[in-house]
Amino acid sequence: MVELDTRIQVRTNSQLKEQATRTLDRMGIDMPTAINMFLSQIVHDQRLPFQPSLTPYADAIREAEAEPAIKVRDVDELMSLIDRA
């Protein structure tokens, strides 16, 4: 077994930490174990275990901006429109 002999401090949003902790708890994994798994996967694969990209976000913004504006009379009409989407 590898000795855990160093500490990493990470600042994050408290809500994200709580959500991640709850999710990991349901998996039976604590946060330090999950972080060590993440780091081990990076070393093993020599890359991040996911593909970071701005392209889907940028494409979604451009797509949304290209959509024509839809006028509604009031909130009820807007909510009806959303419900039908």
Side-chain angles (χ1 to χ4, degrees):
M1 184 170 174
V2 176
E3 179 184 358
L4 302 178
D5 61 352
T6 193
R7 178 180 300 267
I8 297 174
Q9 291 184 321
V10 177
R11 296 198 57 81
T12 191
N13 174 288
S14 60
Q15 184 179 7
L16 176 60
K17 179 188 175 215
E18 289 305 315
Q19 290 172 339
T21 299
R22 283 194 303 273
T23 301
L24 291 168
D25 284 346
R26 289 194 307 270
M27 294 179 194
I29 302 170
D30 62 14
M31 187 71 70
T33 299
I35 292 170
N36 279 307
M37 291 169 68
F38 174 75
L39 296 174
S40 293
Q41 194 68 44
I42 290 170
V43 171
H44 179 268
D45 294 345
Q46 293 295 294
R47 64 179 184 86
L48 289 172
F50 53 86
Q51 182 63 43
S53 174
L54 290 177
T55 303
Y57 174 76
D59 289 348
I61 294 294
R62 279 192 292 279
E63 196 174 301
E65 289 174 339
E67 289 288 324
I70 299 173
K71 294 183 181 184
V72 295
R73 290 184 306 271
D74 53 33
V75 172
D76 290 332
E77 185 177 355
L78 174 62
M79 295 309 293
S80 177
L81 184 66
I82 291 170
D83 288 340
R84 291 191 313 260

